[in-house]
Amino acid sequence: QRPPRRRGPPPLSLSLFAASPGDGAQTWARFSRPPSPETAGVFQDTFPDGFLWAVGSAAYQTEGGWRQHGKGASIWDMFTHHPLAPPGGPRVANLSSVAPPSLPPATGDVASDGYNNVFRDTEALRELGVTHYRFSISWARVFPNGSAGAPNREGLRYYRRLLERLRELGVQPVVTLYHWDLPQRLQDAYGGWANRALTDHFRDYAELCFRHFGGQVKYWITIDNPYVVAWHGYATGRLAPGIRGSPRLGYLVAHNLLLAHAKIWHLYNTSFRPTQGGQVSIALSSHWVIPRRMTDHNIKECQKSLDFVLGWFAKPIFIDGDYPESMKNNLSSLLPNFTESEKKFINGTADFFALSFGPTLSYQLLDPHMKFRQLESPSLRQLLSWIDLEYNHPQIFIVENGWFVSGTTKRDDAKYMYYLKKFIMETLKAIKLDGVDVIGYTAWSLMDGFEWHRGYSIRRGLFYVDFLSHNKTLLPKSSALFYQKLIEKNGFPPLPENQPLEGTFPCDFAWGIVDNYIQVDTTLSQFTDPNVYLWDVHHSKRLIKVDGAVTKKRKSYCVDFAAIRPQIALLQEMHVTHFRFSLDWALILPLGNQSQVNHTILHYYRCVVGELVRANITPVVALWQPAVPNQGLPRPLARQGAWENPYTALAFAEYARLCFRELGRHVKLWITMNEPQTRDMTFNAGHNLLKAHALAWHVYDEKFRHAQNGKISIALQADWLEPACPFSQKDKEATERVLEFDIGWLAEPIFGSGDYPWVMRDWLNQRNNFHLPYFTEDEKKLIQGTFDFLALSHYTTILVDSGKEDPTKYNNYLEVQEMTDTTWLNSPSQVAVVPWGLRKVLNWLKLKYGDIPMYIISNGIDDGLYAEHDQLRVYYMQHYINEALKAYVLDGINLCGYFAYSFNDRTAPRFGLYRYAADQFEPKPSMKHYRKIIDSNGFPGLETLETFCPEEFTVCTECSFFHTRKSLLGFIAFLFFAFIISLSLIFYYSKKGRRSYK
């Protein structure tokens, strides 16, 4: 029976009134506004009670048994065996002759053999837990000759057996009368749907189905995808019956299909609805387009595109019985006309809006001219909103939706699974956020089958079928397991682990900001200029240099570097306790050794760290970071092989020694290497880089630690990797392998065993790759344990798929393919926002290397170039920091600090917490949000509001007020001394004068 209407609040005031043609055009303007991060990504909620969860299939695609038990030939049997061609036209290629050896002949002769496996197919339905099953009746199996003579009893018995089995399982059938497989006899006798006489034969066939099966069927679909039937069956000839007619013929066929549908609806409404109580509709397929640019003209072109595909059939049925005005205006005499009686006959002949959306039409069979130069997009949510506005808020039953994977993909169909997740989540958003009345969803399809013009080159099933096997066993794919879990939960209910946690970090937690490449500006103030100037007050009003007149040049001080103090002031405004930046090795040692030291640069860095300490901000200094040009190395070292040359490691140790000596009094946290890019590094380079880190660590440990009392380690990039198919053991193993190559390569020798991960060595040896060097025992001892903490940079999470779905993206070296969940929120540069990945990588590191002190040394996201409010970064920081809090509070991670990336847009465009324009720095909302988190030391709740952390100040004897202003203090002392002497003389002489007067 018909489910009750379930609607959310109407999204627009216009929803209160009846829709009229063209109202859907509001959709593009509405969705052109950027959504909030909370609604743009993963949406956690459940579907309304009573929501219809379905899966579908089509007779020719899955039944097989093409000549069994008296079945007649269909146009698809003929099209795949003996393709037709129009008179005088070229012959269409025989599909069955082009299948590769690894695939069966491209016909539906056997397909999935559903005709002989009713129990097998219905068991798959039971496993999924669906409430409804959409299938089609093969017209030629019931009426081998179309309609003449008695029906085929064996055919009727097959469908009765299927319906009885569905009744036993409590699964409601959704039955399609015509899913493209017209009896060949009717094509030969009448020319198929080009002849209006076919509507009478269709009525006879439908009446038989209603009479025999109607007592068990509450949802009927008359015709599937009339656009494809008419346009590609009779105009382009791409599909059966393969007639390459004119566009006029295509429009004529569509005209007849609409009349045929209306005739069936009226038949059911008059003769069967009173006793059977079912509903009848037509499955309309559509694409979605977005404007190239948001102009009125482009929006009208998008509206026209929808009119020419979906509106072609939907407007006559749901609005007024006639074609869209844009079609009538553009097609002139090509488009047939309805009489007034025909308009009344067609209008209103649908009890619900049956929508098909997916690759059957989108990106495949949509005529390019019907896009009107606009851009196709797979946005189901926007299409649902358009239908809601355009056709007066109908109940929508999505009767076909899904995607496809390669024909070589077996059970780990990650690509399909994430498209399915995306489409279902968009449906949920349409219901909950847009007020669209969607009553059901059908995943397509139940099992792999014959995919029309693409044969067996792609797969669309939730269950895998080995087409070359005899028994055709159905094996659930990852998508089937996902869909089963989703139906069980009725959507995406909020998970406890994803709920925000209230709490605070320890009082000594390091709150930092990152500026990888600080602007080194050694320009001194004018007060260090030894020249003498005259002020031309009468004419130019400018200072005029006096030639030959110079004064003694005084020593420069940190206050003379005009660029430092403003940057420190911004950091103080942010309330951070730590500031991380990288030194420029090439600037300090242009030749790579100490034969030429740039003391000016060293003095500048010394001033930076000194002023930071004075401001009670702890400097965190990285010695090296990969950068262009020359990988961040001095040019001579880069020319001599860079990290491929073992000498570079020795040079790095000497460079580190210099930095420790010159800057170490102010620096308590050192990073040897910041984010070495393992994916762009050779094994030899990584080998030497590890030794360089170890040498630098030992230099500090043995020569400077006692006096300077600092800590030192390496900072690794540690983005999280997740199995694309969580149910796949292969994907889990592939994910662990990539984690070891990405993180373990450098982490295991330092934080673990002193050697490379065994997974890495074993994988390479199995493939006869022996390029990974070996450490000597002394080198292992040198490297192992060279850390005081574990520093990681983390930005995103990536999915790892062990399959080879897309050869262009496949990593043959690791035999994996990386991908993303299409429901995840993304930045403008397509970096996925996945906060829980941070918590997972922290736990993985703890599991691998023990309870080590950890710093999240860099974490951030890019924003839009013209974003006035960086909502995405606010969302990103809020959720990533909260995941860090969960790791600290719930998982016992020894987390010591968090550093946001990045300081400003000047040095890291689109990543900064400060916007930079016209030589001015302006705080973004994300900076203020970060400051609020810092001031709260996390996310205090009622139980943590009383927590108080006393403010601590770092004592710096070398940078105290008196130490750094010796000359000024000396001058003040001189003035004070002169003042005292003057007062003494005045007092002496005034007293002497009084005695003389007496």
Side-chain angles (χ1 to χ4, degrees), residues 125-196:
L125 298 174
R126 186 184 59 79
E127 286 185 47
L128 289 175
V130 293
T131 62
H132 290 67
Y133 175 46
R134 182 189 171 197
F135 65 92
S136 71
I137 295 174
S138 171
W139 189 346
R141 193 177 297 281
V142 173
F143 276 126
N145 291 321
S147 65
N152 179 12
R153 293 184 181 278
E154 288 298 323
L156 293 174
R157 186 177 292 115
Y158 164 70
Y159 292 111
R160 274 198 218 98
R161 193 164 68 249
L162 174 58
L163 288 168
E164 180 60 26
R165 177 64 179 152
L166 293 177
R167 188 187 65 78
E168 292 173 2
L169 294 174
V171 175
Q172 289 286 326
V174 180
V175 180
T176 304
L177 293 171
Y178 181 72
H179 203 127
W180 308 7
D181 50 353
L182 184 72
Q184 184 62 40
R185 171 72 175 75
L186 297 179
Q187 182 66 38
D188 294 338
Y190 298 97
W193 290 106
N195 192 325
R196 188 174 294 196

Side-chain angles (χ1 to χ4, degrees), residues 211-511:
R211 197 176 307 281
H212 277 266
F213 311 127
Q216 295 173 269
V217 179
K218 301 305 177 187
Y219 289 94
W220 290 96
I221 303 293
T222 57
I223 300 167
D224 180 84
N225 205 336
Y227 169 90
V228 169
V229 173
W231 195 252
H232 292 300
Y234 293 85
T236 69
R238 292 184 64 186
L239 303 178
I243 295 175
R244 298 178 181 177
S246 64
R248 184 187 300 275
L249 181 60
Y251 293 121
L252 174 63
V253 169
H255 200 75
N256 292 337
L257 289 170
L258 280 165
L259 291 168
H261 157 77
K263 184 171 288 191
I264 304 309
W265 187 90
H266 283 288
L267 167 68
Y268 188 86
N269 192 56
T270 303
S271 304
F272 296 96
R273 193 191 302 274
T275 57
Q276 296 179 0
Q279 299 181 65
V280 180
S281 190
I282 182 172
L284 301 181
S285 186
S286 185
H287 64 308
W288 182 248
V289 285
I290 56 175
R292 286 187 178 274
R293 288 187 302 150
M294 282 300 296
T295 64
D296 289 342
H297 171 74
N298 285 344
I299 290 175
K300 289 178 181 177
E301 293 296 281
C302 287
Q303 180 77 10
K304 189 191 301 182
S305 178
L306 270 292
D307 283 346
F308 267 66
V309 179
L310 180 56
W312 185 1
F313 302 93
K315 182 174 174 288
I317 294 171
F318 289 92
I319 299 296
D320 59 8
D322 202 1
Y323 295 117
E325 288 300 318
S326 60
M327 291 187 74
K328 294 198 291 186
N329 294 336
N330 282 270
L331 296 175
S332 184
S333 60
L334 290 178
L335 198 63
N337 293 316
F338 290 116
T339 65
E340 290 303 316
S341 61
E342 288 173 337
K343 292 178 183 177
K344 293 178 182 177
F345 186 68
I346 293 172
N347 186 21
T349 56
D351 301 318
F352 56 93
F353 198 111
L355 175 65
S356 170
F357 182 75
T360 300
L361 180 64
S362 297
Y363 302 97
Q364 288 292 318
L365 294 174
L366 175 65
D367 191 297
H369 297 97
M370 294 184 183
K371 288 191 285 190
F372 294 96
R373 296 176 295 279
Q374 304 309 308
L375 304 174
E376 204 166 352
S377 167
S379 177
L380 176 57
R381 178 186 173 188
Q382 294 183 34
L383 174 61
L384 290 169
S385 294
W386 186 87
I387 292 170
D388 183 64
L389 291 171
E390 188 77 9
Y391 300 117
N392 200 21
H393 323 299
Q395 281 192 323
I396 302 173
F397 189 173
I398 300 170
V399 294
E400 177 182 346
N401 182 238
W403 208 247
F404 63 90
V405 292
S406 165
T408 60
T409 298
K410 298 189 184 299
R411 298 178 64 182
D412 296 336
D413 58 339
K415 174 184 171 184
Y416 179 97
M417 183 178 71
Y418 287 107
Y419 267 103
L420 191 67
K421 181 181 177 184
K422 168 188 168 67
F423 288 136
I424 295 174
M425 193 169 287
E426 287 194 349
T427 302
L428 181 61
K429 289 179 181 179
I431 295 170
K432 296 291 186 176
L433 303 179
D434 310 327
V436 181
D437 191 11
V438 184
I439 64 171
Y441 177 89
T442 306
W444 199 271
S445 63
L446 174 62
M447 68 197 85
D448 292 333
F450 173 77
E451 291 299 334
W452 308 117
H453 63 297
R454 302 190 70 173
Y456 296 98
S457 64
I458 64 170
R459 293 176 180 267
R460 295 190 64 193
L462 296 174
F463 284 79
Y464 172 78
V465 176
D466 181 354
F467 296 111
L468 298 178
S469 68
H470 176 70
N471 55 12
K472 306 288 191 299
T473 303
L474 297 190
L475 300 174
K477 302 181 186 179
S478 292
S479 56
L481 300 175
F482 163 78
Y483 195 43
Q484 184 269 326
K485 294 290 185 185
L486 186 140
I487 293 171
E488 188 178 282
K489 298 175 181 177
N490 198 36
F492 308 93
L495 300 175
E497 59 266 30
N498 291 336
Q499 302 309 301
L501 177 69
E502 292 182 345
T504 57
F505 291 93
C507 285
D508 60 348
F509 194 73
W511 290 105

